[in-house]
Amino acid sequence: MMSPIFLILFLLFNLLISASVHATRFNIPRLSPIGPRISRNLDIVSELSVSDDNDDMETFFYTQTLDHFNFRPESYDTFEQRYMINSKFWGGANSSSPIFVYFGAEESLDDDIPIIGFLPNNGARFNALLLYIEHRYYGKSIPFGSAEEALKNGSIRGYFNSAQAIADYAEIIIHVKKNLHAENSPVIVIGGSYGGMLASWFRLKYPHVALGALASSAPILYFHDISPQDGYYSIVSKDFRSLKDSDELKDYLNALFCDAAQYNKPSTYPVNMICRAIDGNTNSGNDTLSKIFGGLVTYLGNSSCYINAFPNVFESSPGWSWQTCSELVVPMGIGNDTMFPPHPSNLSRYLQSCKVTYGVLPRPHWVTTYYGGPNIKLILQRFGSNIIFSNGLRDPYSIGGVLENISDTIVAVHTNNEAPLDGDLAVIGFLSDNALRFNALLLYIEHRYYGKSIPFGSREEALKNGSTRGYFNSAQAIADYAEIIIHVKKILHAENSPVIVIGGSYGGMLASWFRLKYPHIALGALASSAPVLYFDDITPHDGYYSIVSKDFREASKTCYRTIKKSWAEIDEIASKPNGLSILSKKFKTCKPLNDSDELKNYLDSMYSGAAQYNKPPTYPVNIICSGIDGSSSTDSGNDTLSKIFAGLFAYRGNKSCYINPPTNVSETRVGWRWQTCSEMVIPIGRGNDTMFPPDPFDLNSYIQDCKDFYGVPPRPHWVTTYYGGHSIKLILQRFGSNIIFSNGLKDPYSSGGVLENLSDTITAVHTVNGSHCLDILFANKTTDPVWLVAQREVEIKIIEGWINEYYDDLRNQHPNIARRALASSATVHSHHISPPDEHD
């Protein structure tokens, strides 16, 4: 067998409208579980099953963030989003009863609730709380005060998309669970059509919020040529099985026939109704068009007029028009084998028409890039769980649905880093060290706003205000990586090459989050020293400094005691007349100290950095402690502060001065400061049980400091809302796969790392003596300890297993593709998180 070339991309992470045919654009039939608002025969409407539980519904409004993914000043604007709760059946927070959440789609909740019966019909059986959430920009959940204002231009219309919508749902679900003290109640999300797409995507993107999803009639594969473009109209034609026969009349009939087929439900069966009238018509005449008119009258009832009446423009029409002209580009056309006149999909014309209408081009591949779609079975059979895709095969949109089981738990039911790239390449050796073993392509991607990947022309311009700085965040960064990986695979014709993403520290966090958010792009992730649990209150605030202290205590108890004693002595001397001058002279500062905190912060950073990067063969902690403990035998003196200076001298070497030298502020420091003041709120504090002075983390003070500095407050819970973290083992043991969390237990950030296996395929690999990102640095055959060599070998064997399993799956499902596949594969890298205070 041809040996594969594994494209291992090492991520460098430093830190309805009615269905009508127009000459310009082919409109996409609305994805609604209810059907279009067309005047119907009242007998038909009366057949609908209407819920009797509306009286039990309570209405609430949640103050929702306008923009979840950027941190520009306008991103913090809010609007009132409507949600409704029916607690009639709920067993209560302590009963482990579930919460059923219905995702409103492209219409008002008022339209959905009387019709959607699945939730109340099954509420009693599950003792479930029923939660209904309205989609932004619909119903009473309109930003900017009114629908006219919200849709008037591209700047405010740009917040109207599915990614923002499912982030809204996450916020509200978490809010409701917290208010009801129901944090442990499982959540099942439910939606139909476009709402079904949202439900399935929500489960994939927010597995920490939703236990499972029911996606009814969700055509998630009707993108990017995955499904035949004429699939919708082929099924409409199949449903009718007859007919074939300006444009204004044809458009109207087109919409009528599609509507009847899409919503062809018992007991009336509109398709049968129309066809019986067409086949049996005698009153209006026997010619073809008289028969067509007879079908129209039977379906719509007797009316004074039909086509081009004065229609009401429903709120869903302009909203759905925008969504299909921005992200939901369903490439729908009409081929030669339907009952309709041929009208192939023309993407170029579609793009141009949307640009003329809205001033911006659609993104036709955005859905498959962000949510996935191609090779869905190959990807999701080993990633993801607990999704039901239900379809009716007479629904034209079922052509784009999932019609076969993807895995045992994803089932189909149907009826009939924060620094420039240059610095990393010099030290990150895991890729190049193992490239030959895998025959791998190595891809390094720079993080936006770092190195040479600066938007707006320069770093100064990019960071000068909140509007330009607001695009600088992790969600945008991993979306960048997705775009580049897809681009590289395409130009190399390596679409079937598996991708392994690799990162260290912040980059390791990005690698693990990338695998969770983009499983259709990355087969697996190696996340080295990634403190993904150091958010909210998941990890003790003093975890970082506790390990720094432990490292020094294990190196030398006398050294540890000297450091612990030194802080009070520094303050005591600083409080005396000329005390700061004495300290400045003793520690050879580059300029006189303004206060004792300058010295203490420097020493804090030095000790933290030594512990975080305490790697062989030098082991900086040992060097510092050797200097401190050996001070009595040198000219430095035997007092505490002389010992501290001796440790500094041993670590830094002989310099003309040490503390507060003139320095250029690095781009890493500038960038990371913004990131930790926007999304990466890592609550590091110091308790009473470390060798440092107590300094508890104060969230209120932190928020105020960031707001004073940047003009906007941080979002301290954003990471756990978007990426997860709470109850990580409970969530990920049945969702997700192929992530290695590697740690060295002497690394202070390991306190926020994943240190135990979450499942058979989400594994923790750690070493007792390892330090920060040590496993992904260049190997040194002379000085690397045996335990480090063994750690790397374990990681390599796990990755080999992923790739072998992938190719086995590919051979079983797509034998021709597997034979042709350029044995290619793929990986990606990152940088480190600096300790809480930057050191030299």
Side-chain angles (χ1 to χ4, degrees), residues 548 551-552 606-614 621 746-748 771:
V548 174
D551 289 349
F552 276 85
M606 182 183 77
Y607 301 142
S608 299
Q612 187 167 324
Y613 302 101
N614 193 37
V621 169
K746 286 190 178 294
D747 172 17
S771 60

Side-chain angles (χ1 to χ4, degrees), residues 377-398:
K377 184 170 183 178
L378 186 67
I379 301 302
L380 292 187
Q381 66 179 350
R382 299 190 186 280
F383 182 97
S385 62
N386 300 2
I387 304 174
I388 300 171
F389 290 101
S390 65
N391 283 278
L393 297 189
R394 288 190 179 275
D395 173 12
Y397 268 122
S398 68

Side-chain angles (χ1 to χ4, degrees), residues 759-771:
S759 70
D760 292 341
T761 59
I762 301 182
T763 57
V765 178
H766 59 76
T767 54
V768 173
N769 295 312
S771 60

Side-chain angles (χ1 to χ4, degrees), residues 701-724:
S701 175
Y702 188 98
I703 289 174
Q704 189 58 49
D705 288 346
C706 289
K707 188 173 182 181
D708 291 344
F709 198 85
Y710 290 109
V712 293
R715 296 176 181 172
H717 310 303
W718 187 88
V719 164
T720 52
T721 296
Y722 187 63
Y723 297 117

Side-chain angles (χ1 to χ4, degrees), residues 20-21 38 181 201 254 327 368 410 420 447 479 551 559-560 585 657 709 712 724 728 733 743 752:
S20 53
V21 182
I38 186 169
H181 306 289
W201 293 336
N254 178 311
E327 53 169 347
T368 52
I410 302 182
H447 192 298
D551 289 349
C559 171
Y560 168 85
K585 182 178 180 181
C657 66
F709 198 85
V712 293
I728 190 170
Q733 65 182 344
N743 283 279

Side-chain angles (χ1 to χ4, degrees), residues 491-605:
I491 62 175
L492 294 178
H493 305 289
E495 286 85 352
N496 294 303
S497 298
V499 174
I500 308 298
V501 295
I502 300 172
S505 201
Y506 168 51
M509 296 158 78
L510 294 176
S512 66
W513 292 336
F514 189 91
R515 169 61 181 161
L516 291 173
K517 297 294 186 185
Y518 295 88
H520 51 290
I521 296 176
L523 173 67
L526 169 57
S528 175
S529 299
V532 294
L533 303 181
Y534 219 138
F535 297 95
D536 285 1
D537 295 321
I538 303 172
T539 296
H541 292 177
D542 64 355
Y544 184 97
Y545 281 98
S546 293
I547 293 182
V548 174
S549 301
K550 181 173 180 285
D551 289 349
F552 276 85
R553 187 170 59 245
E554 290 178 350
S556 167
K557 290 182 179 178
T558 56
C559 171
Y560 168 85
R561 287 194 291 266
T562 301
I563 293 171
K564 188 170 185 177
K565 181 182 177 183
S566 68
W567 310 109
E569 294 199 14
I570 290 172
D571 286 336
E572 182 181 355
I573 292 175
S575 66
K576 297 178 179 179
N578 298 321
L580 291 175
S581 296
I582 295 170
L583 291 172
S584 298
K585 182 178 180 181
K586 191 169 196 66
F587 283 90
K588 296 178 68 173
T589 64
C590 298
K591 55 186 177 183
L593 294 171
N594 293 312
D595 56 47
S596 62
D597 283 345
E598 272 188 278
L599 173 59
K600 290 192 293 183
N601 289 342
Y602 181 89
L603 294 173
D604 176 317
S605 181

